[in-house]
Amino acid sequence: MNKAIGIKDKNKLLMFIFLIFFNQISVADIFNVSGTTGKTSVSVLDENSFALSYFNETVSNGYFYIFKKDGTIVVNRTRFGQSVNYAYALKSSAFSANYFSISWSSPLKFAVWNSIGGIYTSETAIDTEGASYVDSDALDTNAIVFVKGGTSAGGQGFFDIFDINGELKNETNFLSANCLGVSVTTLDENTFVVIYKLNTSPYNGFKVYDKNGSLIATKESIGLSSSFESATLDSNTFVILNSGSIQIYDRNTDLLYSNSTQGGQVIADLNSNYFVVVDNNKFIVFKRDATIVSTTSFSSSSISSPSIASFDNKTIVISFVDYGGNRYGKFVVYDINGTLISQTPPTLSGFTIEPQYAKNGETLTLSVELPEDGENNDLNLYCATTPSASSTNNDFCESLNNKVPYSISCNVNAGNDDLNHQIYCRLYDGKEYSIEKTNWYFNDVEPIVKLVTPSTDGNYLSGLQGIVFDVNDADLQSNNDGNLWIDIYYSSTQNSFQNVIVSDGNLFDSSLFSCTDTNFSTTQTCTYSWDTTAIADGNYYIDLNVFDDAKLNSIKYSDYDFMVDNTNPITTDNAPSGWQTSDFSITLSCSDANSGCDTTYYSVDGSAFVSGNTVNITTDGNHGVSYYSVDVAGNIETTHDINAPLDKTAPTYSLGSPDSNKANQSVSQFTFAVKLSDATSGARRCFWTTFKNGTVQDSGVVDVNSDGYCEKTVSGMSNDDVWFVRWIGNDYADNNASSIDSNSYEYDTTPDDGGSSSGGGGGSVTVLPGGLGGVGSFCQNDLDCSAGLYCDDNAGVCVRDSPIAETIVDYSWSDSVKLVSSDSNSEFSVVLVNKTSKDLPLVASVDSNLSRYLSLVSDVNSLPAFGVRRIAWRVFVDGNFSGARGNVVVVVGSGRAVLSHVLELKPSVGLGALWGYRLFEFSQPLPFVGRVLTLGFGVFVVVVVVVLWWVYKRG
């Protein structure tokens, strides 16, 4: 298929002005080259102008022009009948000099236009019966008759009369059979003839009607060929044209003349005496008696779809499709003598200039698009930089004596002025010039681009990154001067343009680029935001190609490669699991296979993030540690959250049951409890050891219950058993507290009075678990003692109701009564023996009656396992001392044994004092014989002293 209009988009909107061609595109763009469905129709408006309509099957549209007789266009190409399915029929009829109609099928419609191309009556349907053939003729200046028919269902013969406004005035079914063809010709403003052809009897004929639809006359079996036309000679006479014959009838159906040897395709009346017929590529003038006057050839090749109309009694216009050459639609205007009044001038559809944007001094090629000349004359091309190109105005270029088939071009060098140039071209066939066409080209200089970033060595890119470049084009002060384009690529090697980032990006498009300004005649800096997350990590270069509308370009690329790194670094920790009981450190280790790690940040317990790789945990608490790293490319790792629990503090106790030492209890089962507290890791469990009468019985572990207590139940107690539990608390960090002993529980159903233990002498002993708990406290009566205790009148301390035999210590007091004097250096003591395998703490005290006279010789605070200790007090009295009596108390094992002793101090005088002293020195009363001997010795001494004193006085 030949090219029709120009290839360049900018030329598609050029106006197509023609004299002889219906438009300036090829027949292939008007009719199907291989088909025969192209239609033309011509109707004369007045003695100097006509309307020419045609159907373009390729685009399924109809078009019309209005021309003057000399070929000048009055109304340029105008479209009608959009989306026409198929052009079975096309007919143009003139109402007057001011209005004409065009009817077409399928679907069957008509519309009315005025003589300046304006629509007067919009498209109006004239068929609902399925007709495919239509013919029309104006009755007068206000009415038109359409005759229609078809071979398909509903294709019976009808005629419709419409007024110029599209209002249906009459519709008549003139045949009940389907039609193979129809034609209509108007005799006068009230009468018309309908000619028809059938495929059944009577096969063909004509009918004369008035415009009210009344039948005036009819004639059948007139011998019509497959195609026929009709024309009116006068109000009484009309001509029927067959493809091979001519018949002339009057309105009364009488055959007046005929010619059985000459027919044609279309017919038009000249006047009452002459008519003209088109037969293939010639037209024939007949007299009204059907004799030939003249024959004139108007085309050198075969034609199709002719249409003919007469201006007056001596001038005709013929439209047709020329099968020769490119099958263009054409028209010719002749007088009755066969003289050509106007003919087809050469046709210039347009021309191209390549390249349209040219570098200074570049060779330009100007090529004519599909030139045509109806007479196939030699053609000259003249192109100039000013309008009206001609043989004398061709300063751009010329190409002479081009012959059929035409291929016309010329070359010229572009200038160096960086300006837009308008070029004008015309064809000349030796007689007439074609319509002038224009096009343009632009002298241009290449733009300049420079990559700014990324360009330097060591760039790392991640996420959205700006590709920054400087660009300059001396010709572009604004978008009105043209466009500036850029291609941006990333590549694994320099200047290889492997992977597109932006293709044909317009730098005037602010949605793509951010430029400091769009006056590119001075250097501007532009930025493109590149999402690097869409590409694989790796090393790349940036390639730039900036170019203008002329495709003049400049290429730049990265001097150094850069790394795209969109992978976050990975940080791990070596935090120990579970609770720790001593200070520890966490090491944070970062790895990044691409750009490498930059900085690691951490936060403890929600504090502000600080940089570092070591986290020190030194205070108690379940610490929350958050950390992340950033790599050199700026990728930020997702924050990790871990726990770092530290508990360096042991749990604490609060004794539960029994809340005090319990004696003489009648129930042989008891649950010991201690409350365990730990503010950090939490109280977890207790290790327990049960003791009966000071001896280990069992051990184990018990978890803290929901109330925070450790409990141990002891059952099956025997009479007089004293039980307690030794607790060691444990928390979830596995810290152990120092042991603590519970208060005691004594199961005793038969309490008794106690006495001195077998291991010591002179005092009572009570074995107690837990602290003092009131036992051993000085008292004056029972009200001073706790429940279950009473005040020992002799000892003056609180004791249990039933003393228990000593299982903890043996002991011996040195004195119960001691004689003292102001000049003596005497002591009072007690000896203790530890009967257990553990060290026991000691606390010794005296009441207020003795505290001013007794002072510990040395501070003894423990009793070693299976060891012996002597606790001694030195006695100090003065000359006025008259005696004192009070309690001495020693508490062993934090109250597990309380030793109380009543000591009486007496002044030492005379023999009694000596006696007493000797008793004191021996610590035990002497036998009777010893006492006598001692007394005798004392008397002896006294007597000797008295005698010596008497002798002295005498002498």
Side-chain angles (χ1 to χ4, degrees):
M1 185 177 72
N2 294 323
K3 291 183 180 179
I5 51 179
I7 304 303
K8 295 294 184 179
D9 289 341
K10 292 182 180 179
N11 292 331
K12 287 183 179 180
L13 296 179
L14 291 176
M15 190 162 294
F16 303 105
I17 302 174
F18 312 45
L19 289 176
I20 218 63
F21 287 69
F22 302 156
N23 67 11
Q24 292 298 320
I25 57 179
S26 72
V27 176
D29 286 315
I30 301 173
F31 308 117
N32 188 330
V33 175
S34 61
T36 59
T37 60
K39 301 293 183 181
T40 72
S41 183
V42 63
S43 59
V44 170
L45 299 177
D46 56 33
E47 64 181 14
N48 194 43
S49 63
F50 61 94
L52 190 153
S53 58
Y54 68 92
F55 173 71
N56 181 329
E57 182 182 352
T58 302
V59 295
S60 297
N61 287 326
Y63 301 90
F64 72 82
Y65 286 89
I66 297 177
F67 291 95
K68 288 185 177 181
K69 184 189 298 185
D70 64 2
T72 303
I73 293 176
V74 177
V75 175
N76 212 330
R77 188 179 70 164
T78 302
R79 185 166 62 180
F80 70 89
Q82 299 179 31
S83 300
V84 176
N85 293 330
Y86 201 73
Y88 287 104
L90 180 69
K91 184 63 179 289
S92 175
S93 299
F95 289 95
S96 65
N98 296 320
Y99 299 98
F100 66 98
S101 71
I102 301 174
S103 58
W104 66 90
S105 67
S106 161
L108 192 52
K109 295 181 179 181
F110 83 97
V112 179
W113 285 266
N114 60 31
S115 59
I116 59 174
I119 186 72
Y120 182 78
T121 302
S122 59
E123 292 185 9
T124 302
I126 55 176
D127 176 64
T128 57
E129 295 85 15
S132 55
Y133 302 107
V134 65
D135 193 14
S136 66
D137 199 5
L139 285 170
D140 53 34
T141 60
N142 192 51
I144 187 169
V145 58
F146 295 97
V147 61
K148 55 191 179 178
T151 59
S152 61
Q156 298 178 3
F158 283 83
F159 65 80
D160 294 340
I161 298 176
F162 286 85
D163 66 14
I164 196 170
N165 298 313
E167 182 178 351
L168 179 63
K169 297 298 184 179
N170 181 279
E171 182 176 45
T172 300
N173 184 193
F174 68 89
L175 282 176
S176 59
N178 289 355
C179 297
L180 296 178
V182 293
S183 179
V184 63
T185 185
T186 299
L187 297 177
D188 55 39
E189 63 183 11
N190 291 309
T191 312
F192 58 92
V193 180
V194 176
I195 303 98
Y196 59 88
K197 181 177 178 60
L198 307 178
N199 57 7
T200 60
S201 178
Y203 298 107
N204 49 61
F206 66 84
K207 295 183 179 184
V208 181
Y209 284 91
D210 65 20
K211 67 179 179 180
N212 295 318
S214 299
L215 180 63
I216 297 173
T218 183
K219 187 175 183 64
E220 297 177 345
S221 302
I222 59 175
L224 295 180
S225 61
S226 58
S227 63
F228 52 90
E229 290 274 345
S230 61
T232 297
L233 292 177
D234 55 39
S235 63
N236 190 55
T237 312
F238 62 94
V239 182
I240 298 176
L241 173 68
N242 286 289
S243 60
S245 65
I246 296 173
Q247 299 170 335
I248 302 173
Y249 290 91
D250 64 16
R251 69 164 61 202
N252 296 318
T253 72
D254 293 329
L255 178 63
L256 302 178
Y257 306 100
S258 66
N259 186 330
S260 59
T261 62
Q262 179 64 54
Q265 295 160 281
V266 291
I267 186 172
D269 61 298
L270 290 172
N271 51 47
S272 61
N273 294 313
Y274 295 92
F275 61 91
V276 61
V277 171
V278 173
D279 183 17
N280 197 8
N281 59 355
K282 60 182 180 293
F283 68 88
I284 307 169
V285 179
F286 289 85
K287 291 182 179 180
R288 65 178 291 135
D289 61 1
T291 58
I292 297 174
V293 175
S294 64
T295 300
T296 303
S297 295
F298 59 85
S299 176
S300 61
S301 58
S302 297
I303 67 166
S304 68
S305 187
S307 179
I308 187 172
S310 63
F311 291 96
D312 47 37
N313 59 8
K314 60 180 179 180
T315 311
I316 60 171
V317 57
I318 304 171
S319 66
F320 58 93
V321 176
D322 187 348
Y323 270 27
N326 290 309
R327 295 182 58 190
Y328 286 146
K330 298 181 179 180
F331 75 83
V332 290
V333 178
Y334 280 86
D335 65 15
I336 196 171
N337 299 315
T339 303
L340 179 66
I341 297 174
S342 64
Q343 66 173 10
T344 306
T347 301
L348 176 59
S349 299
F351 62 92
T352 61
I353 301 175
E354 294 292 341
Q356 205 155 27
Y357 291 87
K359 296 179 182 180
N360 291 335
E362 186 175 5
T363 298
L364 302 173
T365 298
L366 186 148
S367 300
V368 173
E369 299 171 2
L370 303 172
E372 180 70 19
D373 183 69
E375 294 74 35
N376 296 326
N377 298 308
D378 292 348
L379 295 179
N380 296 336
L381 172 69
Y382 299 109
C383 296
T385 57
T386 57
S388 301
S390 65
S391 59
T392 58
N393 181 24
N394 56 8
D395 60 337
F396 189 74
C397 73
E398 66 176 4
S399 179
L400 304 177
N401 300 318
N402 294 283
K403 302 183 182 300
V404 176
Y406 301 113
S407 177
I408 306 173
S409 63
C410 59
N411 296 324
V412 64
N413 290 331
N416 57 1
D417 52 8
D418 296 329
L419 296 176
N420 187 63
H421 296 271
Q422 195 80 5
I423 303 301
Y424 305 84
C425 290
R426 288 198 299 179
L427 290 173
Y428 183 65
D429 64 1
K431 182 178 181 180
E432 297 182 73
Y433 283 96
S434 69
I435 299 297
E436 189 166 67
K437 299 296 180 180
T438 64
N439 210 330
W440 54 270
Y441 77 95
F442 190 83
N443 278 145
D444 201 3
V445 294
E446 66 183 29
I448 300 171
V449 68
K450 176 184 178 183
L451 181 64
V452 178
T453 50
S455 181
T456 59
D457 193 15
N459 283 156
Y460 297 98
L461 307 184
S462 65
L464 286 175
Q465 292 289 334
I467 299 175
V468 183
F469 51 92
D470 291 337
V471 64
N472 174 275
D473 190 327
D475 304 319
L476 294 180
Q477 295 186 11
S478 71
N479 202 190
N480 294 329
D481 299 327
N483 297 295
L484 191 60
W485 312 87
I486 192 167
D487 295 331
I488 306 176
Y489 284 71
Y490 69 95
S491 308
S492 57
T493 57
Q494 279 182 327
N495 196 26
S496 57
F497 289 85
Q498 294 173 341
N499 307 290
V500 64
I501 299 174
V502 176
S503 178
D504 294 342
N506 193 334
L507 289 174
F508 288 96
D509 186 350
S510 60
S511 67
L512 285 177
F513 304 97
S514 175
C515 298
T516 53
D517 201 318
T518 54
N519 179 5
F520 293 106
S521 62
T522 60
T523 299
Q524 305 298 336
T525 299
C526 296
T527 302
Y528 176 78
S529 184
W530 180 30
D531 183 4
T532 65
T533 61
I535 71 171
D537 290 355
N539 293 302
Y540 301 103
Y541 295 87
I542 289 292
D543 300 322
L544 301 179
N545 176 32
V546 65
F547 54 94
D548 57 19
D549 288 335
K551 305 301 181 183
L552 300 177
N553 69 310
S554 174
I555 292 176
K556 286 294 182 291
Y557 45 84
S558 311
D559 295 329
Y560 303 94
D561 65 350
F562 55 86
M563 172 173 282
V564 170
D565 177 7
N566 285 299
T567 303
N568 294 337
I570 299 174
T571 309
T572 58
D573 64 79
N574 67 344
S577 60
W579 286 92
Q580 304 300 305
T581 58
S582 60
D583 296 349
F584 64 96
S585 297
I586 301 172
T587 300
L588 306 178
S589 302
C590 175
S591 62
D592 187 278
N594 295 323
S595 59
C597 296
D598 184 18
T599 308
T600 298
Y601 299 90
Y602 69 85
S603 165
V604 179
D605 294 334
S607 62
F609 278 88
V610 296
S611 60
N613 295 88
T614 302
V615 184
N616 295 315
I617 305 299
T618 60
T619 59
D620 281 2
N622 188 6
H623 301 287
V625 177
S626 300
Y627 64 87
Y628 67 90
S629 294
V630 180
D631 63 16
V632 176
N635 296 301
I636 302 175
E637 181 184 16
T638 302
T639 301
H640 301 274
D641 297 309
I642 61 172
N643 290 324
L646 173 62
D647 185 357
K648 300 186 290 184
T649 304
T652 59
Y653 302 104
S654 175
L655 288 177
S657 61
D659 55 0
S660 61
N661 295 318
K662 303 296 184 182
N664 298 329
Q665 303 298 305
S666 60
V667 179
S668 63
Q669 176 175 304
F670 186 75
T671 298
F672 294 83
V674 64
K675 186 169 187 179
L676 190 65
S677 300
D678 189 281
T680 307
S681 61
R684 179 184 180 192
R685 59 188 175 178
C686 295
F687 300 100
W688 53 264
T689 303
T690 57
F691 288 82
K692 182 180 74 174
N693 300 327
T695 302
V696 173
Q697 299 300 304
D698 197 5
S699 62
V701 63
V702 62
D703 291 335
V704 173
N705 64 23
S706 59
D707 295 326
Y709 285 85
C710 293
E711 294 182 340
K712 171 60 182 170
T713 301
V714 177
S715 60
M717 298 180 179
S718 300
N719 192 37
D720 292 336
D721 284 349
V722 176
W723 290 82
F724 71 93
V725 177
R726 179 165 296 157
W727 303 101
I728 298 177
N730 177 261
D731 61 19
Y732 280 95
D734 214 25
N735 292 303
N736 288 332
S738 300
S739 64
I740 186 173
D741 293 339
S742 71
N743 290 313
S744 66
Y745 182 90
E746 178 187 11
Y747 174 62
D748 187 359
T749 59
T750 57
D752 56 38
D753 296 330
S756 301
S757 72
S758 61
S764 64
V765 61
T766 305
V767 179
L768 300 172
L772 290 177
V775 175
S777 299
F778 297 111
C779 60
Q780 294 181 351
N781 53 55
D782 292 346
L783 296 177
D784 295 333
C785 299
S786 302
L789 305 180
Y790 73 97
C791 187
D792 188 318
D793 293 336
N794 293 323
V797 296
C798 296
V799 297
R800 293 192 178 279
D801 291 342
S802 176
I804 301 173
E806 301 85 342
T807 60
I808 304 301
V809 294
D810 283 335
Y811 60 95
S812 177
W813 297 98
S814 62
D815 299 279
S816 294
V817 178
K818 187 170 185 65
L819 299 176
V820 295
S821 64
S822 60
D823 58 353
S824 67
N825 187 16
S826 60
E827 289 183 346
F828 166 75
S829 66
V830 61
V831 177
L832 304 173
V833 179
N834 188 348
K835 298 170 68 176
T836 73
S837 61
K838 294 185 178 181
D839 294 343
L840 300 175
L842 296 176
V843 178
S845 62
V846 297
D847 66 12
S848 59
N849 293 330
L850 298 177
S851 61
R852 61 184 295 189
Y853 305 113
L854 298 181
S855 174
L856 279 171
V857 175
S858 61
D859 188 11
V860 178
N861 54 23
S862 65
L863 180 59
F866 302 114
V868 179
R869 282 285 187 271
R870 176 176 179 271
I871 302 174
W873 288 266
R874 184 169 288 111
V875 182
F876 297 94
V877 298
D878 56 19
N880 297 320
F881 177 67
S882 60
R885 188 176 185 274
N887 289 314
V888 179
V889 178
V890 177
V891 179
V892 182
S894 300
R896 295 176 62 192
V898 179
L899 286 67
S900 61
H901 182 69
V902 178
L903 174 63
E904 184 176 3
L905 299 178
K906 295 184 178 181
S908 177
V909 292
L911 184 60
L914 178 61
W915 180 275
Y917 179 75
R918 288 299 175 192
L919 289 176
F920 167 80
E921 288 294 323
F922 283 95
S923 300
Q924 296 289 338
L926 293 176
F928 178 76
V929 175
R931 287 177 178 271
V932 172
L933 292 176
T934 301
L935 179 61
F937 179 74
V939 170
F940 173 74
V941 173
V942 170
V943 171
V944 172
V945 171
V946 170
V947 172
L948 289 175
W949 182 77
W950 182 77
V951 172
Y952 173 75
K953 288 291 189 180
R954 296 280 297 180

